[in-house]
Amino acid sequence: MSDDESLVPVPVPRSDMPGHVGGKPKRRPSAPEVLRRLGRSKVAIAAAGAAVGGLLRLVHATQRRADGSSDFRRILTDEHPAIVGLWHGQHLLAPFFRPRELPYVALLSRSADAEINARVVESFGISTVRGSGGREGVKAKRAQRKGGARALVALRRMLAGGTGVCMIADIPKGTPREAGLGIVTLAKISGRPIVPAGAVTSRHHVLARAWDKTRIPLPFGRIAVVMGAPITVPADADDALMAEKRREVTAAIEAANLAAERLVGTRR
């Protein structure tokens, strides 16, 4: 090596140079991570919501009501404003039986995955409130972080103002078809009845990997909507009565669901 060559400075990576953090190169996001980020962008969510809403309108237009279905328009009008309770996996059918002349709000979780559901629901003229339905035994601080307490207060206010509530009774990632405390708590603090409901279409696709086995309704089928007797929760209900009412709501919604399945022939 010559003396001149020994004097040539050797570039040293700096921590503030692009692509370096603490002297180490930044990890580039993988292709799945990039796609996941794009899929959760506002533009992608809006497009997906519009597409799903359009498909649901097509499906709705081709459905025939199954004989024996409840007169849901009369029931919801007589009980308005009520808390309509149904299971996860059937939420896509809620706009099918909501009387358009009655204002309704839907409770949806605050998860990123619920953003598309919110756009779909809002496209049918139903407003949304975001929060947790409330697990049994969850501490108050944890529930508040999920927005559950704020959501219930907002829903109580809307019920007092004459807006009905459509509420999925079972808890996301919890036990399917088991009502949480959220729906009975709302009935307690609002004084409004819970109307247990089940909605099923004869033609559908089941998302087998989904925890709630969501059913995607398909065109040219029959739809059955069954509603049970309204359930009220006293304002002074203690923990024991609240647990009893939760079991009552669970049984009533499941009975309505099974009756709807029998009407369309998916269960005997």
Side-chain angles (χ1 to χ4, degrees):
M1 178 181 295
S2 67
D3 292 339
D4 292 339
E5 289 176 331
S6 64
L7 297 177
V8 176
V10 178
V12 178
R14 292 166 44 193
S15 59
D16 60 343
M17 291 178 63
H20 289 76
V21 176
K24 295 182 179 180
K26 287 184 178 179
R27 185 182 69 84
R28 293 185 178 182
S30 63
E33 288 175 333
V34 172
L35 291 176
R36 193 156 46 243
R37 292 176 187 175
L38 290 175
R40 291 183 176 179
S41 68
K42 291 183 178 180
V43 174
I45 289 172
V52 174
L55 289 174
L56 285 178
R57 286 180 172 81
L58 171 63
V59 171
H60 187 196
T62 62
Q63 297 295 315
R64 293 179 293 111
R65 190 186 303 185
D67 294 337
S69 291
S70 298
D71 185 355
F72 57 83
R73 182 175 296 279
R74 177 189 61 78
I75 294 172
L76 296 182
T77 300
D78 290 347
E79 300 296 335
H80 192 75
I83 305 163
V84 181
L86 67 162
W87 293 144
H88 265 97
Q90 298 180 339
H91 57 279
L92 294 177
L93 295 176
F96 288 27
F97 59 81
R98 166 243 174 181
R100 292 185 178 181
E101 66 273 15
L102 299 179
Y104 263 88
V105 60
L107 175 65
L108 298 175
S109 72
R110 301 175 68 189
S111 68
D113 294 337
E115 289 293 340
I116 295 177
N117 282 340
R119 295 301 182 98
V120 173
V121 168
E122 291 167 357
S123 73
F124 283 91
I126 301 174
S127 57
T128 58
V129 167
R130 310 300 293 275
S132 169
R135 296 179 190 271
E136 185 177 15
V138 173
K139 295 181 180 179
K141 289 184 179 180
R142 183 179 175 189
Q144 289 174 356
R145 283 200 302 270
K146 290 189 175 183
R150 290 191 297 272
L152 289 178
V153 170
L155 293 175
R156 179 182 63 179
R157 187 181 302 117
M158 298 190 78
L159 283 164
T163 297
V165 172
C166 181
M167 189 168 181
I168 299 173
D170 46 351
I171 307 302
K173 305 300 174 63
T175 302
R177 300 189 178 185
E178 180 179 303
L181 283 174
I183 190 168
V184 292
T185 300
L186 180 59
K188 174 183 177 178
I189 66 177
S190 68
R192 300 308 304 162
I194 299 170
V195 176
V200 179
T201 54
S202 59
R203 300 190 69 249
H204 56 263
H205 172 70
V206 178
L207 298 181
R209 292 187 177 183
W211 73 275
D212 57 2
K213 300 297 186 289
T214 294
R215 295 182 177 185
I216 307 298
L218 300 176
F220 307 109
R222 291 176 299 126
I223 182 172
V225 178
V226 175
M227 293 185 173
I231 298 172
T232 58
V233 181
D236 60 352
D238 58 13
D239 290 346
L241 183 54
M242 290 290 282
E244 179 182 332
K245 286 294 181 179
R246 184 174 66 85
R247 291 190 292 269
E248 182 181 352
V249 170
T250 295
I253 297 178
E254 183 60 8
N257 177 69
L258 295 177
E261 288 185 344
R262 285 191 289 267
L263 290 178
V264 297
T266 57
R267 182 183 293 268
R268 296 184 179 180

